């Protein structure tokens, strides 16, 4: 029966918000359910065979009702336990009383199990101002920690009037208290706490259902506690007479836990803070780029870009030189080579004007055509007829057109030149002398130190010039001025050579150094010397066609194939053969 | 337009004259903070004069209304009955405070009493704004009536006064039909 009594107390509490008639009914239902189950249990244990189907159906119906109500009753019991623990800490006076609704009052006190008596030992007497006293029935419930709780519940109360409470144990006053019921309210926590997003970052909207107490809606004060999930440090905000609150200043994209409790404001009604609701979790909206930061970064990047552009523009020439260096072209030196002739150099050469002569010289600026020195021992054999010389000279000059003329021209020119310059022509004299007196070389002393030579000048001058450049060497005249037979042979050779390749004859050392039958004078360095200064230009010494010679410039460049072939027996001892071009 | 505006102006003028003569309807004062302020001032007065020596020199007994409210019982009463109860109580308090004002000599106390008296008068205005007409008060209730009781000290008088304001007056004002229509 004790269980049924406790259930009746709890069931009464569930009906605080309902009308009185309903209160009575629920109480009755709870008590009946409890009693019925007990009786049914006894029946089952007895194994009463008289239990019919009707009884079973009733039992089933009761069980169903009981089960559906059980959850609420259990919940109520838990709330009572919470409130008791709250008041045990908050209220120092005894008995501790609290009002949950508009017409109820629950008072309790605590005693140790050892000294505790039964409930009927206690009497709870309450007296309203200017009224008679009344008594409330005391119930006892076990509590944790070896304690016992004694309850008294009033279902009809008067507010705004002093209430005197006296508790007696076996006629001994143990507690005495005077209170106003409207100032000891201890409400249930607000229900249906929900969190929603407001659409703005860093905000959450908390909404709840206020306790449904008549006349007290505008006297309610709420305290909202919110903190980041997992953190114990939170903030508290108070709001009065409202059912929602917008939490601001929250971090974006963070989960928050929110809870709320309620209390009456204390002007007309007052009381204790209710228990906290169960925390509700909600994540705030994800963070977005702060517009201020975005705008500042854009401005900074723009400023930096402008600065870099300014620097680039001010140093663009320097940078262009470094990045895209100018490739030097020889266009300035060769006027019209690229624009007119598209880089065809040969064509450009062909169409060039008088200044063309300069160009090859420009190419070979360092090399001057040195005179060709044909040196031979004076004391050598008969001098070649002078006619042999012109072909040689003309051959050396390499002029095709005037070849014959040159032969003739050179001949007298040479002769004249030799005649003119005694110094220059004394080899000729010598030659004449030798010619006249084809005696062996015995008087080579004079001629030893002198040379008779033919100069080949690259310039298009008369052959007289070459004579100016005749080098003076003390070498004997060459065998070119040798005997006629030889000379004729050589001449024929020369002529043949000339005829073979006009302008590019061969200087056959063999013909050049065809000595007469005389023995080679042993004395002195009897050798044939042809000074050839190497121009240093790699030229094609192969037999060239006349066209090519014409192209080059009519003997401006003397291209000859020469054979540095000297018969071993005729080769001067220890001295090289030089050909001067 | 000038032809129409003439009669309209005359009509408005006539209405305005008529309106002046009639009692102007007062806008309902449904804000609970008005009464809350009166309650707080009464409480402050009670607290201030609690430590008054020898009852601040106030002697005598004063008839005060009962302040107890049983919601169940209260809800069974209609608005008129509630209003009557409130108004009679307020008048009793007015009378008592008037008598107290005459007996105190300290100026500070006098100022506080005057403040409370003005608050009672303002409450009357508030009740009138809620279309709670002044009802003819019943003859001064006797001491033994259930609706009144006697107090013998200023602190108790003020205490009852505070309780009365917090209870019955507040219930009447917050549940006045005029305010209920505005809220809904």
């Amino acid at each position: 029966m004790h269980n049924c009594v406790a259930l009746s107390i709890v069931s009464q509490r569930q009906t605080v918000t309902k009308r009185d008639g309903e209160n009575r009914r629920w109480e009755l239902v709870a008590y009946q359910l409890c009693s019925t189950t007990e009786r049914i249990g006894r029946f089952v244990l007895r194994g009463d065979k008289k239990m019919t189907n009707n009884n079973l159906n009733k039992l089933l119906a009761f069980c169903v009702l009981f089960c559906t109500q059980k959850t609420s009753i259990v919940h109520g019991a838990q709330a009572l336990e919470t409130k008791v623990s709250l008041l045990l800490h908050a209220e120092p006076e005894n008995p501790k009383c609290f009002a949950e609704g508009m017409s109820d009052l629950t008072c309790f006190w605590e005693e140790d199990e050892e000294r505790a008596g039964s409930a009927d030992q206690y009497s709870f007497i309450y007296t309203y101002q200017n009224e008679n006293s009344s008594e409330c029935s005391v119930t006892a419930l076990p509590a944790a920690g070896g304690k016992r709780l004694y309850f008294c519940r009033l279902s009809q109360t008067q507010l705004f009037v002093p209430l005197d409470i006296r508790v007696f144990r076996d006629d001994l006053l143990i507690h005495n208290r005077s209170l106003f019921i409207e100032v000891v309210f201890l409400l249930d926590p607000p229900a249906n706490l929900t969190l929603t997003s407001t659409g703005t970052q860093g905000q959450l909207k908390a909404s709840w259902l206020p306790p449904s107490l008549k006349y007290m809606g505008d006297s309610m004060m709420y305290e909202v506690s919110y903190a980041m999930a997992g953190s114990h440090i939170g903030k508290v905000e108070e709001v009065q007479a409202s059912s929602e609150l917008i939490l601001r200043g929250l971090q974006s994209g963070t989960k928050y836990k929110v809870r709320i409790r309620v209390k009456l404001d204390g002007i007309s009604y007052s009381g204790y803070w209710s228990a906290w609701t169960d925390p509700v979790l909600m994540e705030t909206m994800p963070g977005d780029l702060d517009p201020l930061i975005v705008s500042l970064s854009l401005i900074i990047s723009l400023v930096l870009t402008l600065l870099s552009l300014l620097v680039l523009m001010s140093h663009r020439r320097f940078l262009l030189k470094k990045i895209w260096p100018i490739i030097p072209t020889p266009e300035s030196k060769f006027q019209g080579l690229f624009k007119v002739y598209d880089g065809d150099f040969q064509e450009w050469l062909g169409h060039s004007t008088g200044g063309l002569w300069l160009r090859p010289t420009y190419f070979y600026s360092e090399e001057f055509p040195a005179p060709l020195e044909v040196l031979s021992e004076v004391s050598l054999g008969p001098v070649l007829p002078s006619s042999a010389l012109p072909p040689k000279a003309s051959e050396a000059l390499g002029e095709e057109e005037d070849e014959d003329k040159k032969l003739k021209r050179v001949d007298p020119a040479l002769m004249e030149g030799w005649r003119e310059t005694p110094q220059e022509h004394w080899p000729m004299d010598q030659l004449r002398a030798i010619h006249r007196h084809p005696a062996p070389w015995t008087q080579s002393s004079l001629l030893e130190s002198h040379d008779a030579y033919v100069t080949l000048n690259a310039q298009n001058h008369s052959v007289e010039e070459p004579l100016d450049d005749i080098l003076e060497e003390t070498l004997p005249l060459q065998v070119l001025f040798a005997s006629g037979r030889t000379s004729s042979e050589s001449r024929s050779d020369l002529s043949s050579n000339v005829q073979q390749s006009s302008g590019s004859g061969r200087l056959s050392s063999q013909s050049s150094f065809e000595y007469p039958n005389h023995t080679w004078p042993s004395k002195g360095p009897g050798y044939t010397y042809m000074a050839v200064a190497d121009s240093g230009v790699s030229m094609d010494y192969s037999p060239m066609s006349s066209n090519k010679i014409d192209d080059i410039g009519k003997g401006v460049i003397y291209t000859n194939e020469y054979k540095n072939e000297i018969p071993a027996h005729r080769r001067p001892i220890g001295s090289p053969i030089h050909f001067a071009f | 337009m000038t032809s129409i505006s003439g009669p309209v102006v005359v009509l408005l003028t006539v209405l305005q004259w008529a309106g002046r003569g009639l009692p102007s309807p007062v806008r309902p004062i449904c804000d609970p903070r008005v009464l809350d302020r009166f309650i707080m001032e009464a409480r402050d007065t009670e607290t201030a004069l609690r430590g008054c020596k020898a009852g601040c020199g106030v002697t005598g007994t004063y008839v005060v209304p009962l302040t107890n409210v049983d919601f169940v019982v209260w809800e069974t009463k209609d608005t008129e009955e509630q209003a009557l109860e409130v108004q009679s109580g307020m008048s009793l308090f007015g009378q008592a405070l008037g008598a107290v004002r005459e007996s105190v000599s300290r100026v500070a106390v006098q100022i506080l009493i005057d403040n409370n008296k003005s608050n009672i008068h303002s409450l009357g205005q508030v009740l009138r704004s809620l279309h709670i007409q002044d009802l003819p008060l019943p003859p001064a209730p006797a001491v033994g009536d259930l609706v009144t009781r006697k107090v013998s000290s200023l602190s108790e008088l003020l205490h009852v006064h505070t309780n009365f304001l917090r209870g019955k007056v507040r219930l009447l004002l917050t549940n006045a039909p005029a305010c209920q229509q505005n809220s809904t």
Side-chain angles (χ1 to χ4, degrees):
Chain A
M1 289 305 292
H2 296 292
N3 292 335
C4 289
V5 170
L7 273 172
S8 68
I9 293 170
V10 168
S11 64
Q12 282 177 27
R13 290 183 59 257
Q14 295 304 308
T15 62
V16 293
T17 60
K18 296 180 178 137
R19 291 183 177 272
D20 214 25
E22 218 174 332
N23 295 350
R24 305 269 186 256
R25 191 167 67 249
W26 276 117
E27 182 186 342
L28 190 62
V29 165
Y31 193 82
Q32 279 179 347
L33 277 171
C34 183
S35 307
T36 306
T37 49
E38 280 184 338
R39 282 201 294 274
I40 289 168
R42 284 190 232 113
F43 281 140
V44 168
L45 287 171
R46 281 187 204 169
D48 194 350
K49 295 178 182 178
K50 289 184 182 179
M51 190 176 280
T52 60
N53 287 336
N54 288 335
N55 287 337
L56 281 170
N57 289 337
K58 286 179 186 174
L59 175 63
L60 199 65
F62 279 132
C63 286
V64 166
L65 278 170
F66 187 77
C67 289
T68 52
Q69 296 300 319
K70 186 185 176 184
T71 52
S72 60
I73 290 167
V74 168
H75 186 262
Q78 287 177 349
L80 175 66
E81 193 177 339
T82 310
K83 288 182 180 177
V84 165
S85 62
L86 269 170
L87 273 179
L88 284 172
H89 290 93
E91 180 61 60
E93 290 192 42
N94 277 315
K96 304 179 198 307
C97 299
F98 62 92
E100 290 174 307
M102 298 178 65
S103 299
D104 63 273
L105 181 71
T106 306
C107 292
F108 69 94
W109 63 96
E110 196 180 39
E111 284 204 27
D112 294 332
E113 192 72 40
E114 301 165 350
R115 293 182 293 168
S118 64
D120 48 5
Q121 284 181 288
Y122 296 90
S123 55
F124 186 93
I125 309 298
Y126 64 95
T127 310
Y128 286 105
Q129 193 177 48
N130 297 337
E131 285 189 11
N132 296 331
S133 301
S134 304
E135 188 174 350
C136 171
S137 59
V138 178
T139 55
L141 281 175
K147 304 273 185 179
R148 192 173 253 207
L149 293 170
Y150 298 93
F151 284 89
C152 177
R153 185 175 175 87
L154 303 178
S155 58
Q156 194 169 1
T157 57
Q158 293 184 26
L159 276 66
F160 307 105
V161 70
L163 175 67
D164 287 325
I165 297 170
R166 285 172 292 171
V167 179
F168 295 92
R169 180 182 177 182
D170 298 326
D171 300 327
L172 184 65
L173 184 68
I174 56 171
H175 298 299
N176 187 12
R177 185 181 173 185
S178 177
L179 58 89
F180 285 85
I181 296 175
E182 72 274 5
V183 297
V184 289
F185 277 100
L186 180 54
L187 305 172
D188 290 330
N192 296 352
L193 176 63
T194 52
L195 293 174
T196 53
S197 177
T198 60
T200 314
Q201 283 188 27
Q203 284 188 5
L204 278 178
K205 183 176 167 184
S207 58
W208 56 89
L209 195 66
S212 58
L213 285 177
K214 211 173 176 183
Y215 314 123
M216 300 180 197
D218 53 357
S219 298
M220 302 232 179
M221 187 165 61
Y222 304 93
E223 198 175 60
V224 178
S225 164
Y226 58 98
M228 283 192 283
S231 170
H232 295 290
I233 302 168
K235 289 185 184 176
V236 165
E237 278 202 35
E238 279 193 10
V239 62
Q240 187 145 359
S242 176
S243 62
E244 61 184 29
L245 175 68
I246 295 176
L247 304 170
R248 302 174 202 272
L250 307 176
Q251 286 187 14
S252 303
T254 317
K255 211 166 218 181
Y256 278 87
K257 61 176 181 184
V258 180
R259 51 181 191 165
I260 188 172
R261 62 179 182 177
V262 65
K263 179 189 169 185
L264 287 165
D265 62 357
I267 298 174
S268 287
Y269 306 94
S270 185
Y272 310 94
W273 278 111
S274 71
W276 288 106
T277 56
D278 290 331
V280 176
L281 295 169
M282 176 91 179
E283 192 166 344
T284 51
M285 279 177 64
D288 203 2
L289 285 174
D290 193 4
L292 180 67
I293 292 170
V294 169
S295 59
L296 281 173
S297 60
L298 277 172
I299 289 165
I300 288 166
S301 61
L302 193 67
V303 167
L304 285 172
T305 310
L306 284 170
L307 282 171
S308 61
L309 275 173
L310 278 169
V311 168
L312 278 171
M313 293 304 290
S314 61
H315 294 89
R316 70 170 176 275
R317 286 186 189 172
F318 174 75
L319 287 168
L320 275 173
K321 276 184 191 174
K322 288 292 175 185
I323 296 166
W324 199 261
I326 300 169
I327 301 168
T329 60
E331 218 172 313
S332 59
K333 304 292 181 184
F334 302 93
Q335 295 174 8
L337 172 59
F338 294 102
K339 290 180 184 174
V340 179
Y341 298 101
D342 293 330
D344 193 345
F345 191 69
Q346 287 183 355
E347 201 174 319
W348 174 77
L349 275 178
H351 288 86
S352 64
T353 55
L356 197 64
W357 287 105
L358 296 170
R359 293 188 179 82
T361 55
Y362 186 75
F363 274 127
Y364 311 106
S365 58
E366 295 181 357
E367 302 95 18
F368 292 97
L372 175 64
E373 296 183 6
V374 180
L375 303 173
S376 64
E377 284 185 353
V378 178
S379 59
L380 287 176
V383 182
L384 285 169
S386 61
S387 62
L389 196 60
K392 188 70 179 168
S394 67
E395 187 182 323
L397 286 172
E399 293 183 10
E400 178 192 1
E401 293 174 358
D402 304 331
E403 184 182 7
D404 294 335
K405 291 181 185 176
K406 267 265 183 197
L407 284 169
K408 294 172 186 174
R409 188 162 59 84
V410 169
D411 183 14
L414 275 172
M415 295 300 288
E416 289 175 5
W418 285 335
R419 288 192 207 105
E420 286 172 6
T421 311
Q423 262 194 343
E424 296 172 349
H425 294 304
W426 68 255
M428 205 59 198
D429 296 338
Q430 288 273 341
L431 286 171
R432 287 197 208 103
I434 292 166
H435 185 70
R436 292 185 202 121
H437 308 287
W441 289 99
T442 54
Q443 302 172 6
S444 62
S445 61
L446 282 175
L447 295 173
E448 283 178 3
S449 61
H450 297 95
D451 300 330
Y453 53 86
V454 174
T455 46
L456 298 172
N457 204 335
Q459 294 178 1
N460 192 9
H461 300 297
S462 60
V463 192
E464 290 179 0
E465 263 192 61
L467 297 175
D468 296 332
D469 298 331
I470 291 170
L471 297 174
E472 297 181 24
E473 291 192 22
T474 60
L475 291 174
L477 193 63
Q478 197 203 357
V479 75
L480 278 170
F481 307 100
S483 62
R485 182 181 63 82
T486 312
S487 63
S488 64
E489 287 179 5
S490 63
R491 187 185 173 183
S492 64
D493 270 335
L494 286 170
S495 60
S496 67
N497 288 339
V498 167
Q499 285 167 6
Q500 281 172 10
S501 56
S502 59
S504 67
R506 272 185 207 175
L507 279 175
S508 172
S509 60
Q510 191 170 4
S511 61
S512 301
F513 297 99
E514 195 165 350
Y515 285 93
N517 293 331
H518 319 291
T519 58
W520 188 260
S522 59
K523 62 166 177 181
Y527 60 92
T528 306
Y529 180 82
M530 290 184 76
V532 174
D534 190 9
S535 64
V537 177
S538 61
M539 299 189 64
D540 188 11
Y541 292 97
S542 60
M544 295 174 70
S545 60
S546 59
N547 295 331
K548 276 200 176 176
I549 291 297
D550 283 342
D551 291 338
I552 289 172
K554 303 191 175 99
V556 172
I557 299 167
Y558 183 66
T559 58
N560 275 333
E561 182 185 28
Y562 68 100
K563 291 189 217 172
N564 197 0
E565 297 171 359
I566 302 173
H569 63 284
R570 291 182 184 176
R571 188 168 178 175
I573 300 168
S575 64
I577 298 171
H578 303 278
F579 292 89
F581 288 92
Chain B
M1 290 295 291
T2 53
S3 60
I4 299 171
S5 63
V8 169
V9 169
V10 171
L11 182 63
L12 284 172
T13 310
V14 168
L15 284 172
Q16 200 170 10
W17 285 340
R20 283 179 187 172
L22 296 170
S24 56
V26 181
R27 199 175 40 182
I29 301 171
C30 296
D31 193 348
R33 290 177 293 180
V34 174
L35 182 59
D36 287 345
R37 180 178 158 231
F38 295 151
I39 292 169
M40 283 192 282
E41 285 183 358
R43 191 191 298 171
D44 294 340
T45 307
E46 177 193 345
T47 308
L49 299 181
R50 190 176 295 163
C52 208
K53 292 179 181 179
C56 301
V58 175
T59 56
T61 59
Y62 307 97
V63 178
V64 290
L66 296 178
T67 60
N68 56 322
V69 174
D70 190 338
F71 284 111
V72 178
V73 175
W74 180 263
E75 283 173 1
T76 59
K77 298 176 184 177
D78 56 4
T79 307
E80 281 190 7
E81 196 173 345
Q82 292 173 0
L84 184 64
E85 197 168 329
V86 167
Q87 281 179 349
S88 61
M90 294 303 288
S91 69
L92 284 172
F93 278 116
Q95 291 171 14
L97 285 175
V100 166
R101 171 69 174 78
E102 289 174 2
S103 61
V104 295
S105 57
R106 287 171 61 180
V107 177
V109 178
Q110 286 177 350
I111 292 170
L112 288 171
I113 299 298
D114 288 339
N115 191 23
N116 278 279
K117 279 184 72 178
S118 67
N119 288 344
I120 289 170
H121 181 70
S122 301
L123 267 174
Q125 296 287 340
V126 170
L127 286 171
R128 210 171 293 119
S129 72
L130 299 177
H131 306 289
I132 297 169
Q133 301 295 330
D134 289 331
L135 297 173
L137 291 175
V143 177
D145 286 352
L146 294 174
V147 295
T148 60
R149 71 187 189 92
K150 257 191 162 176
V151 291
S152 57
S153 67
L154 180 60
S155 61
E156 195 176 354
L157 172 65
L158 294 171
H159 185 64
V160 174
H161 176 59
T162 305
N163 290 337
F164 188 74
L165 290 175
R166 290 188 323 167
K168 290 182 179 178
V169 177
R170 197 171 199 280
L171 280 171
L172 180 67
L173 290 179
T174 53
N175 294 286
C179 293
Q180 295 296 325
Q181 290 171 3
N182 290 340
S183 59
T184 55

